[in-house]
Every structure is written in C-alpha cells, then in structure tokens.
Amino acid sequence: MYAQQIKTGARRLKSLAEMEPQERAFQEHVDAGSKIEPKDWMPDGYRKTLIRQISQHAHSEIVGQLPEANWISRAPTLERKAILLAKVQDEAGHGLYLYCAAETLGISRDQMLEQLHNGQAKYSSIFNYPTLTWADVGMIGWLVDGAAIMNQVPLQRCSYGPYSRAMVRVCKEESFHQRQGYDSLIKLCRHGTAAQKEMAQDALNRWWWPALMMFGPPDGESVHSAQSMAWKIKQNTNDELRQKFVDQTVPQADYLGLEVPDPDLRWNDARGSYDFGEIDWEEFHRVLGGDGPCNRQRLEDRVRAWEDGAWFRDGLMAHANKKADQKSLGRADAA
Ligand code: FAQ
C-alpha cells in the first residue's frame, strides 16, 4: 500500500494527490504490483535509486569474489576446491546479470566500474574483512550468503522487471552457496577435531557482527528505505530483514555447537523472536568510509584486475569491429 508509514530517517513522501499525473499513474501501476520495464516512463529518482542499488549490488558480487578466491589454491580437498571454484565463478555471473540490469537504465558498465575504482560507488561492507582461516570460507557461505538470500529473496518481487528477473537466478545459486558453507562447517564442528571446532568458533566471533551490518543502518537512519519501499524496490526495512536473519541463524549455530558472540542474545517468548545486542555502528561507518581492515587491498585488487584485462577488452573490440566492417562490406557488395 502506497505511503505505508514506516519510521525511517527519510523525508516525508509525496501523497498520490500531490503527484503530477504522470507520476501518479506510475505509482498506481507500481501499487497494483505491475512491473516497470526499461522503456516505460519512470521518475528520475526511481531511475537513480535503481542505478545506485543495482550497481552497488553488482560491485559487491565481484569484490565478494576476492576474500574467498584467497582460499581456492589452499582448499583442503579436491572436492572442496571444485565447489569453491564453482561458487566464486557464480559470483562473477551475478555481477554480470546485475551490470546488465543496471545498463538498461542508461548507465554503461564502464561508467559503473569507473565509479567503483575511484571510490565513488559503494560495495557491501562485509567484503572488507579478511579470510584468515579455512573456516572463514564456511562462514562466508553460511552467514554472508545466508544474509544475502534473506535480503535478495524479496528483491525477486522488485517493481523493476530486469532487476527482479536477475534476482530469481541469483537466489537459486545463493542457496547452493549457503548450503556448501554450512556443510563445510558441519564437517569442522560435528565431525572434526577440537582444534577445527575452535577455528570455526573463532571465525564466527569475527563474522557475526559484520554479517548483521550487511542489512544496512537501523531503520531510523536508513535514508532510502521509505521511498524504496513506496516504489516497491525494497519490500522490507533493514531491521525487519536483520531480525529474520538472526531468528533463522541462531538455531543453526546451536546445531553446529557454536556460540553466537553476543551476551545479550536471548529468546523473547512474547515477541516470538530473539533479542540481540547493539551493533557497533561506528565500526560500520568506519568501514563504509574506506577504513575497514581490507578496503584498500580490495580496491587495489579490482583496479589491477581491470588494468590487467585491458589487452583482452582491446582484443574483443578489435574482433567486434572487424566483424562489423566485414558485415558492412558484405552489404556494400550486395548493393
Ligand atoms: N555496505 O538508506 P540505506 C552478496 C549504504 S551481495 C555498504 O539503508 P538502501 C553476495 C547504502 O548503500 C551483498 N553500504 O540504503 C555474495 C546507502 O549509501 P548511499 C550486497 C551500505 O539502499 C556473497 C547508505 O548506506 N547486497 O553478499 C550497507 O535502502 C558471498 C544508507 O543506507 C546488496 O547489495 C552495507 N552493508 O539499503 C557475494 C543487495 N548498508 O548509496 C560474494 C541489494 C547500507 O546513499 C560472496 N541492496 N549501505 O551512498 C540492498 O538491498 C540495499 O541497498 C541495502 C541498503 C539493504 C544494502
């Protein structure tokens, strides 16, 4: 329902009566649950919000390859290596679908990458943390992909057609990612040695809070939530999804025999969900501001990968241009 009253840090939204006819028709279309397609009229703000969110999402997928790729050459078995390779390749595919979806809104992939490389665009805070042990790879699958699924399943119903369709395939693959992470932690925690379980606990201690930060600032400080929900880009607030994630994940930690590093975590019978402790928002803002443990390294790696790939892009362009020349020569001959 349009103008749903949620408490957020955003300014007041326009009512239907305050909108110009074109914008009102757009909003009614969205309210009716219909999709917006690239050639449809859309408010500038809708276009900008989507470009921002989809490009940040795409950047997260490709920067997100880096922490796990660190372990491909050191995976403990051939099977684990094959699984991890497939997962890291999937993340590149997710980036590709998402960059393509953003391109339908009138921005080029080169522009988006330029914004990533010059620090203008964000990517998820979570990928600025290091993967110190093999258990961290399991934690990324279980917690990071788990949080990503919680956030992305509702995005399959996003009002913008190309984004919502891209998310259907992404979510299927993220489910495999989450399962492989949890499976590797079951091996460490329930079938492994005491040292392996300790390694998993240490990884959980380091990844739990950053995983909760993935859902974004608390609702009272979320700048974009109210408008994005009115436009049905987002279906839930950041805090709603964070709570669902905690409720789903704590029993999974119990099954592994791991302790969630939060002394304030307890089941609240009245609410039917878990109460949990205060997130360190200062740390969140520090990481967003570029001062997390790995921000510099991640950006350097992405820029280097872009520069190293220049010869390949040049080759592709030369090939495409040659094909185009041959085609136009063929047409000239036929004329
Ligand atoms: N990190 O007003 P809100 C993955 C920014 S994919 C960095 O609440 P919004 C797969 C936000 O952009 C993970 N920045 O914003 C994988 C905004 O900044 P701006 C990525 C954050 O958009 C797994 C400002 O704070 N998923 O993990 C973060 O309504 C394993 C104010 O925030 C997506 O991108 C953060 N955690 O809600 C890959 C999903 N949180 O632009 C490899 C799509 C907030 O004004 C391995 N995105 N910010 O300068 C979304 O759902 C939303 O954009 C939110 C933020 C929920 C992230």
Side-chain angles (χ1 to χ4, degrees):
M1 176 74 191
Y2 179 65
Q4 182 187 7
Q5 288 306 305
I6 52 166
K7 274 172 130 191
T8 70
R11 59 186 181 281
R12 194 184 76 81
L13 305 180
K14 270 195 246 174
S15 70
L16 281 175
E18 289 167 311
M19 291 176 188
E20 296 296 326
Q22 203 170 25
E23 190 179 356
R24 191 177 317 128
F26 168 88
Q27 187 62 55
E28 284 169 348
H29 189 71
V30 166
D31 286 345
S34 306
K35 297 281 180 223
I36 304 296
E37 297 299 336
K39 290 192 175 143
D40 294 342
W41 182 88
M42 59 186 85
D44 271 356
Y46 180 82
R47 187 184 297 278
K48 275 195 196 131
T49 297
L50 281 167
I51 290 179
R52 177 188 64 80
Q53 177 167 327
I54 303 173
S55 67
Q56 285 177 2
H57 193 165
H59 298 328
S60 303
E61 300 284 354
I62 63 163
V63 176
Q65 292 183 284
L66 298 170
E68 288 177 289
N70 187 32
W71 280 90
I72 292 175
S73 59
R74 288 176 283 156
T77 65
L78 182 61
E79 190 192 6
R80 289 284 168 206
K81 183 178 176 125
I83 293 171
L84 186 56
L85 254 178
K87 177 187 191 304
V88 171
Q89 283 176 357
D90 282 351
E91 308 300 0
H94 298 175
L96 187 66
Y97 318 147
L98 290 162
Y99 284 124
C100 290
E103 279 180 316
T104 65
L105 291 154
I107 185 166
S108 73
R109 199 173 315 179
D110 283 0
Q111 283 171 306
M112 289 183 267
L113 287 169
E114 171 64 23
Q115 289 170 358
L116 172 67
H117 296 160
N118 68 23
Q120 211 183 316
K122 292 190 170 74
Y123 57 87
S124 183
S125 50
I126 193 78
F127 301 117
N128 292 307
Y129 291 85
T131 39
L132 303 179
T133 69
W134 172 250
D136 291 25
V137 173
M139 283 301 153
I140 292 184
W142 173 37
L143 298 179
V144 178
D145 285 283
I149 293 170
M150 192 57 83
N151 174 273
Q152 291 170 14
V153 164
L155 288 176
Q156 294 177 109
R157 285 180 282 119
C158 166
S159 58
Y160 189 57
Y163 193 24
S164 77
R165 291 189 286 274
M167 293 320 298
V168 172
R169 180 150 177 190
V170 170
C171 284
K172 287 197 174 117
E173 291 173 351
E174 297 293 18
S175 299
F176 148 62
H177 298 172
Q178 197 269 354
R179 289 306 295 263
Q180 66 81 36
Y182 196 61
D183 179 74
S184 90
L185 290 170
I186 287 177
K187 287 277 183 320
L188 292 181
C189 297
R190 293 180 64 105
H191 307 286
T193 62
Q196 285 173 322
K197 189 160 178 195
E198 215 174 286
M199 179 170 77
Q201 181 64 57
D202 170 66
L204 178 59
N205 295 347
R206 287 180 288 106
W207 287 90
W208 176 254
W209 293 105
L212 297 193
M213 293 175 197
M214 283 178 72
F215 295 93
D219 290 351
E221 287 164 32
S222 168
V223 206
H224 304 293
S225 283
Q227 183 62 76
S228 288
M229 287 175 73
W231 280 331
K232 295 195 192 296
I233 294 172
K234 285 168 85 161
Q235 319 284 331
N236 306 87
T237 71
N238 299 350
D239 284 336
E240 279 168 9
L241 292 175
R242 192 172 3 252
Q243 181 70 58
K244 280 175 90 166
F245 174 75
V246 171
D247 292 344
Q248 173 185 285
T249 310
V250 171
Q252 295 170 349
D254 290 344
Y255 182 76
L256 293 173
L258 296 179
E259 196 180 325
V260 173
D262 178 356
D264 297 320
L265 182 77
R266 53 187 57 85
W267 179 252
N268 182 327
D269 233 354
R271 286 199 310 122
S273 61
Y274 284 93
D275 292 334
F276 56 95
E278 185 59 26
I279 292 170
D280 183 350
W281 292 114
E282 239 173 75
E283 175 179 324
F284 172 74
H285 288 296
R286 211 169 42 243
V287 175
L288 253 58
D291 203 16
C294 300
N295 293 59
R296 282 171 206 82
Q297 187 190 335
R298 299 290 184 242
L299 262 194
E300 274 168 25
D301 287 349
R302 280 309 325 165
V303 171
R304 190 169 345 101
W306 174 254
E307 287 168 355
D308 288 352
W311 68 271
F312 186 72
R313 291 191 301 279
D314 290 347
L316 276 181
M317 285 312 290
H319 180 70
N321 289 338
K322 199 170 162 203
K323 280 252 175 208
D325 286 349
Q326 281 168 348
K327 220 171 163 187
S328 62
L329 271 179
R331 260 195 238 110
D333 283 349

